[in-house]
Amino acid sequence: MTATDTPETTDVLVVGSGIAGCSAALAAARAGAEVLLLTKAERPDDASTDWAQGGISTTRGDPAALKEDIIAASDDTADPDAVDVLIETADEAVEDVLIDTLGIEFDETAAGELDYTREAAHSERRILHVDAATGTHILRPFLNHVDDHERIEVRQDTAALELITHEGRVHGVVSDEDATGTPIYAGTTILATGGIGALYSRSTNPDDATGDGIAMAALAGADVADLEFVQFHPTAYAGETPFLLSEALRGEGALLRNAHGERFMPDYHPDAELGPRDVVARAVEAEREATGEVVLDVSPLEFSDEFPGIAKTCRDRGIDGDEIPVAPCEHFLCGGVAVDDRGRTSLDRLYAVGECARTGVHGANRLASTSLLEGLVWGLRAGEDAATAGAEPEIVEAPDLRNRDPDLPERFAAEKFTRLQRTMDEFLGLERDPDEIARAGAVLRRLKGEVDAYIRTRTARDLYELRNASVVALLIARAAGENPESVGCHSVVEDEPAPEQTAND
Ligand code: SIN
């Protein structure tokens, strides 16, 4: 920007284009604000929402039962007040936005009633779905709707690199629209940047889930919480390039078997295949290690009729028959930027919603099909609050992102990313050993130091994504190291000490 340029301003700036970002933009625009929705995504499927399979939970008229299930799945760690916000707003939000505004046609039974499905750790059938491709069917009309809205501008393929802050208050972001970074000033800024799947080599998220919002907020001094609770989905395809095999399959009767053909889940949890996700994921891994393989047996279902989308993916990948090899795979971060019941962070004028936020709803382990719902509910609440907060854009000094150093080694970001993923896979996966967490912290600190040497020398998106991933990876390592208690997704195990040698050995 030159001295004569007028900086760009907006009332509400939303960063991210999944269900949480779209909901925030919609609510802010409905409340009268001019909204700019910035997204690094180029296509809908760059957002995790588009990949969501199972569905979106409702209370189906029994909020107390949903609350009980959420809290039980979280190992009694979910915040009951946050869960109350979710269950009290859930059905109205689904009805208003998804059904009345977007016209989403959720699957129906032959009798023309809504077809509620069930997933693990739900005591009731209460999940609305469209085949097992619910995210796609929600996100695409939602993006079209916000794009058509007269008070919302959607700007794709544009990443936020840094928050603009001044005296503890957030005034917008610097985007990567030109080589030295472009400041965009906003009355309020809402982060809806999604999860962290790219920190692991196997994930059910798109590749660009690099924890951007969490990193930018943490670097600006915002509180973060519960970052050790990285949720692994028990049933992703075990081969190369994993894809999700929705929990709805088990909800409808699919079974898990080990390499001996034995059904093992009844030995691990009274609800067997429908036990909490963290329990099932660890059991699948244990049986893979003990017997060599775990498969999802879909023979109890009419697989192709009931789940045509997943069945087609299997056929396209050359997976024939009723037994699909599965393994756990990174799926969702339960923690994130700490927010209140309206998505407000600890920094003035900064909000966070969706997977990058920690509302308290998920505690240490998220119940299936509550992530789209949380994104919808908190997105709407934050959007409305941000629009009515009475905050005007203020022009303050923005971080100076100059292009200074032409000598960044080629493939630098890709190679460091591989090292980061290896560290996360090895030391911060399903089970964590305290010594290994400490080792991971040391490796990640070194890696972040190497990345920091290049940050602010250029606005290359892949470099900022690597910076963001290394910040969040370190925060995860730190949170894991500070929590010695096994709870939910955070399972602490001490490696067996090597047997002592005796004189006779
Ligand atoms: C699934 O379909 O298994 C995923 C649902 C979720 O993570 O909420």
Side-chain angles (χ1 to χ4, degrees):
M1 192 177 73
T2 67
T4 52
D5 287 336
T6 309
E8 180 169 16
T9 62
T10 183
D11 297 335
V12 176
L13 175 64
V14 178
V15 185
S17 58
I19 189 170
C22 289
S23 303
L26 177 65
R30 279 177 169 177
E34 293 298 323
V35 181
L36 174 60
L37 191 157
L38 212 65
T39 174
K40 69 178 183 177
E42 288 180 77
R43 299 173 306 269
D45 57 352
D46 289 334
S48 297
T49 297
D50 203 70
W51 294 37
Q53 292 189 355
I56 182 161
S57 185
T58 65
T59 73
R60 213 180 167 185
D62 190 350
L66 176 58
K67 179 174 181 178
E68 216 171 279
D69 288 352
I70 289 174
I71 290 181
S74 78
D75 237 345
D76 280 334
T77 56
D79 172 355
D81 294 336
V83 179
D84 281 340
V85 170
L86 188 82
I87 59 170
E88 281 160 15
T89 333
D91 294 359
E92 194 190 317
V94 168
E95 185 85 29
D96 165 21
V97 177
L98 303 188
I99 297 177
D100 294 346
T101 305
L102 303 180
I104 291 161
E105 293 178 359
F106 290 107
D107 282 3
E108 295 186 344
T109 62
E113 318 239 299
L114 282 171
D115 175 39
Y116 293 93
T117 188
R118 184 173 176 204
E119 290 182 44
H122 281 269
S123 56
E124 312 275 347
R125 289 183 162 270
R126 53 163 88 94
I127 297 166
L128 290 175
H129 65 104
V130 185
D131 180 17
T134 312
T136 295
H137 287 273
I138 290 176
L139 189 62
R140 297 187 184 205
F142 213 160
L143 279 171
N144 290 337
H145 186 80
V146 294
D147 208 16
D148 288 345
H149 199 292
E150 59 181 357
R151 278 195 293 279
I152 304 175
E153 181 193 342
V154 177
R155 197 172 299 163
Q156 291 184 314
D157 191 17
T158 308
L161 303 179
E162 302 274 8
L163 295 179
I164 302 172
T165 58
H166 184 65
E167 295 180 349
R169 182 173 271 180
V170 174
H171 295 283
V173 304
V174 178
S175 79
D176 67 353
E177 281 166 277
D178 71 30
T180 54
T182 306
I184 301 172
Y185 293 94
T188 45
T189 302
I190 304 178
L191 298 172
T193 53
I196 58 143
L199 274 60
Y200 291 84
S201 64
R202 288 172 49 82
S203 165
T204 59
N205 298 179
D207 289 345
D208 63 357
T210 45
D212 303 339
I214 302 170
M216 286 191 292
L219 289 171
D223 293 342
V224 295
D226 288 351
L227 289 177
E228 68 272 43
F229 302 125
V230 179
Q231 184 173 68
F232 291 79
H233 198 288
T235 55
Y237 174 54
E240 256 185 54
T241 323
F243 62 91
L244 184 63
L245 291 147
S246 174
E247 235 165 40
L249 292 158
R250 279 175 280 132
E252 298 298 332
L255 301 173
L256 287 162
R257 300 189 187 282
N258 62 24
H260 308 310
E262 295 156 355
R263 189 178 165 216
F264 56 85
M265 271 316 301
D267 298 336
Y268 287 85
H269 195 273
D271 293 333
E273 280 82 358
L274 298 184
R277 198 172 271 180
D278 57 324
V279 175
V280 183
R282 284 193 290 273
V284 167
E285 195 51 35
E287 294 291 321
R288 277 170 52 82
E289 275 168 22
T291 72
E293 187 182 55
V294 167
V295 296
L296 187 66
D297 173 4
V298 294
S299 63
L301 317 174
E302 296 298 330
F303 184 42
S304 295
D305 290 344
E306 290 179 59
F307 294 93
I310 300 178
K312 178 173 181 317
T313 306
C314 288
R315 279 195 306 276
D316 291 349
R317 294 289 199 88
I319 306 160
D320 298 321
D322 287 336
E323 299 200 332
I324 308 164
V326 291
C329 182
E330 193 283 340
H331 184 59
F332 188 88
L333 179 63
C334 300
V337 185
V339 298
D340 69 6
D341 63 351
R342 283 179 272 169
R344 294 179 297 191
T345 72
S346 60
L347 296 182
D348 195 19
R349 302 189 180 186
L350 182 69
Y351 295 72
V353 293
E355 191 173 345
C356 72
R358 182 271 186 197
T359 61
V361 163
H362 309 307
N365 181 49
R366 180 175 65 85
L367 179 70
S369 284
T370 53
S371 55
L372 293 177
L373 184 62
E374 185 201 40
L376 173 68
V377 165
W378 257 264
L380 293 175
R381 294 172 73 86
E384 186 181 350
D385 199 81
T388 54
E392 298 285 330
E394 278 174 42
I395 313 300
V396 297
E397 196 178 337
D400 176 15
L401 312 183
R402 264 176 281 159
N403 268 340
R404 277 192 283 252
D405 180 355
D407 296 328
L408 183 69
E410 216 186 315
R411 291 198 43 77
F412 174 87
E415 281 166 18
K416 301 292 173 210
F417 232 111
T418 304
R419 194 160 113 217
L420 184 147
Q421 287 179 337
R422 269 203 221 113
T423 307
M424 298 301 284
D425 288 349
E426 205 172 329
F427 302 132
L428 287 156
L430 263 180
E431 297 199 313
R432 293 125 182 225
D433 171 270
D435 292 336
E436 293 188 347
I437 296 172
R439 265 176 71 193
V443 174
L444 292 167
R445 261 190 302 280
R446 263 200 311 281
L447 191 138
K448 182 170 173 299
E450 290 161 29
V451 177
D452 283 348
Y454 288 102
I455 280 291
R456 296 218 176 156
T457 64
R458 64 200 56 244
T459 51
R461 190 180 301 177
D462 61 350
L463 195 56
Y464 273 84
E465 289 180 328
L466 174 64
R467 187 277 310 262
N468 294 337
S470 62
V471 167
V472 179
L474 249 181
L475 290 168
I476 291 172
R478 185 177 306 158
E482 285 171 358
N483 186 355
E485 189 196 349
S486 283
V487 57
C489 306
H490 178 59
S491 175
V492 186
V493 291
E494 303 265 354
D495 263 355
E496 298 277 317
E500 275 182 36
Q501 303 267 307
T502 68
N504 296 332
D505 283 342

